[in-house]
Amino acid sequence: DVKVTQSSRYLVKRTGEKVFLECVQDMDHENMFWYRQDPGLGLRLIYFSYDVKMKEKGDIPEGYSVSREKKERFSLILESASTNQTSMYLCASSGRVTEAFFGQGTRLTVV
Amino acid sequence: AQRVTQPEKLLSVFKGAPVELKCNYSYSGSPELFWYVQYSRQRLQLLLRHISRESIKGFTADLNKGETSFHLKKPFAQEEDSAMYYCALSGMEYGNKLVFGAGTILRVKS
């Protein structure tokens, strides 16, 4: 079974804090993605990575950065958390010809 | 640019009625289209992809390149079909970037 694991189910952080969301996959997938999921807006792509140390901006990269030092791990970083970054964050991975597999999500609240 | 449009936020039908969830896309090149589903308290998962051309849980979807559509259909809705459905698009022209629509909530009433 493909496993995509996100480090936390729920997080509460203060405005201005630096926040790290971690995602690990165990299927040797090349592609990894970070999305935020908001009601009425669907899944919006923040960043994706197609190889180690490679990254591409998605549709809403402002306020976020990513890191992919190892193939199995893709981290999302909020440099200075703000209340408008309160959301559900989803990580996914896919191979060259496979569909995307998703993590369980991290619900982040910034207060 | 890649874009996926799902015009309906909510679709409510009675059990046994036909279902059609609409999806339109814009893409330059040869896209790959998917439908993903999220049941209550479960993670997002693939329902079907256009290259498979198969029926999953009674659902089918046909890629219409002329109308740039990939509508999801089921002839007889069941209560367990109630979920959030997302249409998604990917393609090599954009480095396999996977883009989703806003989603449609399907509610099947008894």
Side-chain angles (χ1 to χ4, degrees), chain A residues 39-92:
Chain A
L41 297 176
L43 271 71
R44 292 180 292 166
L45 182 64
I46 304 171
Y47 269 97
F48 74 106
S49 168
Y50 52 89
D51 202 348
V52 175
K53 296 192 188 294
M54 306 304 288
K55 61 186 179 185
E56 292 278 347
K57 291 181 180 179
D59 298 319
I60 52 164
E62 297 78 18
Y64 303 94
S65 62
V66 290
S67 172
R68 193 164 179 204
E69 296 296 319
K70 293 185 178 181
K71 192 174 186 180
E72 67 271 18
R73 187 179 296 269
F74 192 36
S75 303
L76 180 69
I77 303 152
L78 285 65
E79 297 291 342
S80 177
S82 64
T83 54
N84 63 12
Q85 292 178 308
T86 291
S87 186
M88 172 69 85
Y89 289 87
L90 297 181
C91 174

Side-chain angles (χ1 to χ4, degrees), chain B residues 9-107:
Chain B
K9 288 189 176 179
L10 171 66
L11 183 63
S12 189
V13 301
F14 283 102
K15 179 180 168 182
V19 171
E20 183 178 45
L21 300 173
K22 291 184 166 40
C23 173
N24 289 90
Y25 67 91
S26 77
Y27 188 83
S28 302
S30 298
E32 185 165 5
L33 276 294
F34 307 84
W35 277 98
Y36 281 80
V37 61
Q38 190 168 30
Y39 301 103
S40 179
R41 299 183 185 186
Q42 293 187 27
R43 62 182 69 191
L44 201 59
Q45 59 186 288
L46 179 71
L47 179 63
L48 53 80
R49 57 198 303 185
H50 88 271
I51 60 171
S52 300
R53 303 183 69 84
E54 56 187 350
S55 172
I56 304 291
K57 299 185 179 183
F59 285 97
T60 59
D62 290 317
L63 180 60
N64 185 323
K65 291 187 177 181
E67 295 183 0
T68 59
S69 68
F70 188 57
H71 303 326
L72 184 68
K73 299 179 184 179
K74 184 170 182 176
F76 307 104
Q78 298 173 313
E79 288 180 73
E80 54 265 34
D81 296 329
S82 295
M84 173 70 93
Y85 291 80
Y86 292 99
C87 184
L89 166 68
S90 177
M92 292 186 62
E93 288 84 354
Y94 291 90
N96 290 319
K97 178 178 166 184
L98 182 61
V99 174
F100 285 78
T104 299
I105 298 170
L106 175 63
R107 196 167 289 154

Side-chain angles (χ1 to χ4, degrees), chain A:
Chain A
D1 240 10
V2 175
K3 282 257 177 71
V4 180
T5 304
Q6 295 181 229
S7 53
S8 306
R9 289 296 303 271
Y10 301 94
L11 273 180
V12 180
K13 296 291 181 181
R14 295 194 181 279
T15 302
E17 274 193 79
K18 191 168 185 176
V19 181
F20 293 86
L21 302 183
E22 307 285 346
C23 176
V24 177
Q25 51 97 0
D26 65 0
M27 282 300 291
D28 201 35
H29 282 166
E30 290 80 9
N31 304 314
M32 295 189 76
F33 307 85
W34 275 107
Y35 297 89
R36 59 179 285 176
Q37 183 181 33
D38 299 289
L41 297 176
L43 271 71
R44 292 180 292 166
L45 182 64
I46 304 171
Y47 269 97
F48 74 106
S49 168
Y50 52 89
D51 202 348
V52 175
K53 296 192 188 294
M54 306 304 288
K55 61 186 179 185
E56 292 278 347
K57 291 181 180 179
D59 298 319
I60 52 164
E62 297 78 18
Y64 303 94
S65 62
V66 290
S67 172
R68 193 164 179 204
E69 296 296 319
K70 293 185 178 181
K71 192 174 186 180
E72 67 271 18
R73 187 179 296 269
F74 192 36
S75 303
L76 180 69
I77 303 152
L78 285 65
E79 297 291 342
S80 177
S82 64
T83 54
N84 63 12
Q85 292 178 308
T86 291
S87 186
M88 172 69 85
Y89 289 87
L90 297 181
C91 174
S93 73
S94 71
R96 291 192 204 284
V97 295
T98 66
E99 75 267 26
F101 293 87
F102 282 81
Q104 76 278 27
T106 296
R107 185 166 293 284
L108 173 67
T109 302
V110 182
V111 298

